[in-house]
Amino acid sequence: MQFWNFLAIRLLQTFVVVFIVASVVFFVSRLVGNPESFLLPFDATNEEIETVREHFGLNDPFVVQYGDFLWDLAQLDFGQSYRGGGTSTIGSIGERAVNTLKLTGAALVFAVSLSIPLGVAAALNRGKLIDWLTRFLAVFGQATPSFWLGLMMIYFFAVELGWFPTGGAVGFKSLILPAVSLGLLEMAAIMRLTRSGMIDVMASDFIVTARAKGLRERTVITRHALRHALLPVVTILGIGVGRLIAGSVIIEVVFAWPGIGRLIIDSIVQSDYPMVQTAIIVLAASIALANVLVDVSYRLIDPRIRAGAL
């Protein structure tokens, strides 16, 4: 019962976070946007502008617009795009979500698959060449802007060498450069945390006891040390997923990747309120739920942890 109470509280917190994000996006978009300038020709008359604003309810007071927005949201009605002949916003995002999930998933796999082995190797070989190279890679990854790295990789690997396409989402090769550009920062963060966690754990009494029992070094590292060292790594993964989703907005523009991030940028430029609102609500909910899953996964990694203590 304690676990279910904890889960209910975390889901309630997620709902509150998404509600706040949706409200902020609603007001900010209407303060800075001007959709009629994109929906009508440059020489449109005042009557035509008023007709469009009346059609979309933009002449109503903010309070009325906000109430209508919340009522539609409560009914899971995310509205229709101002452009594209009334296209459903959630439908358009659903079409783009596959590409965004593919990109963030590939970036996460790249980050985790390299960072944990390198972090463990660096911790077990402190002061040696592998340790220095790993620390240099971590600093480089955290200091390099992902969009700059993406542009440099396009120029070198795509334009000069021709090994990969410059953009788009056609085939596996088109996924490699954006995934590496997006995942490098997370790889650096996870690698440094794994290294420091392993150094602390390897000096613990239970590791000394495990070795005294005659267990093989590989068993001591993988079954005992690594499991305890991964707890802070799982914590940062929850934050990392959010950073990957947020970072995908820029990377999708750099690599012309047809995902939700690129859709958000295009919709912001065109003041397409419903599309911007829906896309950001979907991303906020995804990030919040990812953090809930991370909190729940603590119990699987270390059974000693109780939900009430999280």
Side-chain angles (χ1 to χ4, degrees), residues 123-124 198-199 201-221 224-225:
L124 298 179
M198 282 294 295
I199 290 175
V201 169
M202 293 302 291
S204 301
D205 292 338
F206 69 91
I207 296 297
V208 176
T209 302
R211 284 171 169 166
K213 290 181 178 179
L215 297 178
R216 293 185 301 175
E217 188 67 14
R218 181 176 180 181
T219 302
V220 172
I221 293 172
H224 298 278

Side-chain angles (χ1 to χ4, degrees), residues 188-198 229 232-236:
I190 296 172
M191 186 163 52
R192 296 184 69 173
L193 197 58
T194 303
R195 177 183 178 274
S196 60
M198 282 294 295
V233 173
V234 172
T235 302
I236 201 174

Side-chain angles (χ1 to χ4, degrees), residues 271-292:
S271 296
D272 192 347
Y273 298 158
M275 190 67 75
V276 174
Q277 291 166 180
T278 305
I280 294 182
I281 288 172
V282 169
L283 292 184
S286 302
I287 294 171
L289 289 175
N291 280 274
V292 172

Side-chain angles (χ1 to χ4, degrees), residues 110-120 186-188 190-191 194:
F110 164 75
V112 172
S113 61
L114 285 182
S115 60
I116 293 180
L118 288 176
V120 172
E186 291 310 310
M187 185 195 74
I190 296 172
M191 186 163 52
T194 303

Side-chain angles (χ1 to χ4, degrees), residues 127-253:
K128 297 183 180 179
L129 179 60
I130 182 64
D131 185 25
W132 283 100
L133 291 177
T134 300
R135 291 162 66 183
F136 170 79
L137 182 60
V139 173
F140 175 79
Q142 292 186 310
T144 305
S146 59
F147 69 89
W148 180 86
L149 178 63
L151 292 173
M152 293 301 100
M153 293 177 69
I154 289 175
Y155 175 76
F156 186 74
F157 292 107
V159 177
E160 293 294 327
L161 298 178
W163 290 354
F164 303 98
T166 57
V170 180
F172 176 73
K173 281 188 174 182
S174 63
L175 181 62
I176 295 177
L177 293 185
V180 172
S181 302
L182 183 60
L184 185 64
L185 175 62
E186 291 310 310
M187 185 195 74
I190 296 172
M191 186 163 52
R192 296 184 69 173
L193 197 58
T194 303
R195 177 183 178 274
S196 60
M198 282 294 295
I199 290 175
D200 291 339
V201 169
M202 293 302 291
S204 301
D205 292 338
F206 69 91
I207 296 297
V208 176
T209 302
R211 284 171 169 166
K213 290 181 178 179
L215 297 178
R216 293 185 301 175
E217 188 67 14
R218 181 176 180 181
T219 302
V220 172
I221 293 172
T222 57
R223 185 173 298 180
H224 298 278
L226 185 58
R227 185 174 182 180
H228 289 79
L230 282 182
L231 192 57
V233 173
V234 172
T235 302
I236 201 174
L237 278 180
I239 304 173
V241 169
R243 283 200 296 249
L244 289 176
I245 294 176
S248 67
V249 174
I250 302 300
I251 294 299
E252 286 179 5
V253 174

Side-chain angles (χ1 to χ4, degrees), residues 26-27 30 50 52-69 82 273:
F26 174 86
F27 286 107
R30 279 158 177 75
E50 287 301 313
V52 170
R53 291 186 62 86
E54 189 68 30
H55 174 71
F56 290 112
L58 300 177
N59 284 332
D60 296 335
F62 268 17
V63 175
V64 175
Q65 294 184 48
Y66 183 58
D68 293 339
F69 166 70
Y82 287 165
Y273 298 158

